[in-house]
Amino acid sequence: MLARVSSTPTFKRLPRAVREQQMLDAAVKVFSRRGFHAASMDEIADDAGISKPMVYAYLGTKEELFVACLHREGTRMMEAIAGAAAPDLPADERLWRGLRAFFGFVGAHRDGWAVLYRQARGEQPFAAELATMRGRLVEVVAGMLDHALRAKGREVGATDLEVVAYALVGATESLADWLADHPEADAEKTATRMMNVAWLGADQLLRGITWHPPAD
Amino acid sequence: MLARVSSTPTFKRLPRAVREQQMLDAAVKVFSRRGFHAASMDEIADDAGISKPMVYAYLGTKEELFVACLHREGTRMMEAIAGAAAPDLPADERLWRGLRAFFGFVGAHRDGWAVLYRQARGEQPFAAELATMRGRLVEVVAGMLDHALRAKGREVGATDLEVVAYALVGATESLADWLADHPEADAEKTATRMMNVAWLGADQLLRGITWHPPAD
DNA sequence: GCGTAACCTTACGCACGAGTAGGTATGCTC
DNA sequence: GAGCATACCTACTCGTGCGTAAGGTTACGC
């Protein structure tokens, strides 16, 4: 009823693929700002300049929508990292490039990634999804360490390796949180600090030994 | 209506202080298992063997209840750590004792702490609360590093110190998560691994240098 | 120029769960 | 053993927000 006074159609009809991206953009924005539960499908639809049933038609339920966000952002991040850390470099070089790519990504997608990430940790249905992604990262780091160790004819238990990798990934995520909360902070500098902690350790740092990025 | 067939009163009347603890126990359990939103006040009341209005009467709204949980668990943890790491020990010894106390605590309260922690990160209203607690931890670690540095006549910018501490705390939390998810894992061993990463760094570890707990 | 398919809307049903009203039993005090 | 405070209950209200039914409108093929 009261069929809109079609003076201007206000907005054009757009192909599905485009609308889906708009919706995902809006969803990421709203989910980050409000959190999964507090975010309402109405607000997301509104923010995307579209009505709610369209969101359901294209991306499914709220949970599915959130998973779609996670996937898109996660894939983007993984690509950013994978593209930076070639597997045939020495370990320190690889670690450095990976870290730089990671913090660069987070710095550029502050509210996008870091907050989605924080969200997903808590909510049961997504924790598994997230764990898979983190698992891939841990695997990469553990693989790197293993590779470096084998090159020296040394070997370490798989669990040890995994736990060390887990700690490194955790520290990195933690600094990513810090970066997301400090808009004035510099991504490159944060990566350098992370590299110092991860590569040298507290003992060396207390001795005044520091690591600096290569001239590149 | 249908006023309970008072054959057996089923459960005794208990003083407020006792009931409050029972409620908090139940709340921690349910919040951990379900997450803040998915947890229902009915289930918590049920689990505590009490009816819902009692929960409201004693601990207030759902949010207030959750904050009460956070406070109790957080305080317990802080006490466990503070009691272990005397401020006049050398840095490595202090770090080791703090880590051991921390992982010991998490190991003993797996579903209690770690999951409450995971929950609180995401939800807006509690993030601040949590940030304060983490802030205290970061402060302690940063203070420890600063103390050790000054003893050697060296000095470092406050931000650098804070970020390093932040990374260490993050890595530790991350391993705590890992520990909470691996019931078979040993807390002491996890603490040792963390110490290796934090104190020695990847470079040393790759060189085959390792750290071992003192005879104590 | 007309059918059909895809796009898009308004307006609603409905479940779920936080919080409460109002009443009953029990123990403690004098 | 009357009075009073505190412990405790059953059974509701009511907002909120997910998901959908049913119908309008635009583009495109033929």
Side-chain angles (χ1 to χ4, degrees), chain B residues 92-166:
Chain B
D92 56 344
E93 191 70 17
R94 252 182 110 187
L95 191 55
W96 164 241
R97 298 202 180 184
L99 284 175
R100 202 173 49 171
F102 175 77
F103 284 107
F105 179 86
V106 174
H109 296 71
R110 275 173 228 260
D111 61 319
W113 170 249
V115 193
L116 260 187
Y117 199 75
R118 284 198 270 240
Q119 291 306 320
R121 296 186 66 144
E123 315 293 335
Q124 244 80 49
F126 315 122
E129 196 72 29
L130 218 274
T132 307
M133 284 182 43
R134 169 187 285 130
R136 278 205 290 273
L137 262 185
V138 169
E139 219 173 275
V140 170
V141 176
M144 187 193 76
L145 295 175
D146 190 43
H147 182 75
L149 280 171
R150 279 176 197 282
K152 306 189 178 187
R154 229 174 267 121
E155 220 159 321
V156 170
T159 306
D160 276 308
L161 224 49
E162 191 205 324
V163 174
V164 169
Y166 210 94

Side-chain angles (χ1 to χ4, degrees), chain B:
Chain B
M1 56 178 72
L2 185 54
R4 167 189 277 163
V5 195
S6 75
S7 49
T8 14
T10 317
F11 273 110
K12 299 201 165 163
R13 293 162 75 98
L14 292 173
R16 176 167 184 154
V18 177
R19 274 275 132 89
E20 279 183 349
Q21 290 310 311
Q22 292 179 346
M23 289 175 187
L24 285 175
D25 291 341
V28 167
K29 193 170 137 196
V30 175
F31 279 137
S32 340
R33 203 170 32 224
R34 302 249 190 260
F36 177 72
H37 282 280
S40 77
M41 292 299 267
D42 291 272
E43 184 178 358
I44 291 170
D46 212 53
D47 199 283
I50 215 72
S51 73
K52 200 164 47 153
M54 288 308 298
V55 182
Y56 280 91
Y58 285 173
L59 277 332
T61 75
K62 194 180 183 185
E63 288 203 358
E64 288 165 345
L65 175 59
F66 190 84
V67 169
C69 292
L70 254 188
H71 258 117
R72 194 182 69 166
E73 301 297 312
T75 306
R76 282 181 180 172
M77 189 197 73
M78 282 301 190
E79 278 167 2
I81 297 178
D88 51 352
L89 294 167
D92 56 344
E93 191 70 17
R94 252 182 110 187
L95 191 55
W96 164 241
R97 298 202 180 184
L99 284 175
R100 202 173 49 171
F102 175 77
F103 284 107
F105 179 86
V106 174
H109 296 71
R110 275 173 228 260
D111 61 319
W113 170 249
V115 193
L116 260 187
Y117 199 75
R118 284 198 270 240
Q119 291 306 320
R121 296 186 66 144
E123 315 293 335
Q124 244 80 49
F126 315 122
E129 196 72 29
L130 218 274
T132 307
M133 284 182 43
R134 169 187 285 130
R136 278 205 290 273
L137 262 185
V138 169
E139 219 173 275
V140 170
V141 176
M144 187 193 76
L145 295 175
D146 190 43
H147 182 75
L149 280 171
R150 279 176 197 282
K152 306 189 178 187
R154 229 174 267 121
E155 220 159 321
V156 170
T159 306
D160 276 308
L161 224 49
E162 191 205 324
V163 174
V164 169
Y166 210 94
L168 291 179
V169 170
T172 308
E173 288 170 357
S174 184
L175 278 202
D177 269 10
W178 183 88
L179 182 62
D181 289 338
H182 291 76
E184 79 287 356
D186 177 47
E188 186 97 0
K189 201 163 180 183
T190 309
T192 306
R193 283 168 173 146
M194 181 64 218
M195 188 68 189
N196 267 285
V197 180
W199 190 250
L200 295 179
D203 185 26
Q204 310 259 61
L205 291 178
L206 287 177
R207 289 192 176 140
I209 303 170
T210 51
W211 179 94
H212 295 282
D216 198 44

Side-chain angles (χ1 to χ4, degrees), chain A residues 155-201:
Chain A
E155 218 157 319
V156 172
T159 306
D160 277 310
L161 224 51
E162 192 206 324
V163 173
V164 169
Y166 211 94
L168 291 179
V169 170
T172 309
E173 287 170 356
S174 184
L175 279 201
D177 268 11
W178 183 88
L179 182 62
D181 289 337
H182 292 75
E184 78 289 356
D186 178 47
E188 186 95 1
K189 200 165 181 182
T190 309
T192 306
R193 283 170 173 144
M194 180 64 219
M195 188 66 189
N196 267 284
V197 179
W199 189 249
L200 296 179

Side-chain angles (χ1 to χ4, degrees), chain A residues 16-39:
Chain A
R16 175 165 185 154
V18 176
R19 273 277 130 90
E20 280 184 348
Q21 290 309 310
Q22 293 180 346
M23 288 175 190
L24 285 175
D25 290 341
V28 167
K29 193 169 136 197
V30 175
F31 279 137
S32 341
R33 208 179 16 230
R34 303 249 189 260
F36 177 72
H37 282 282

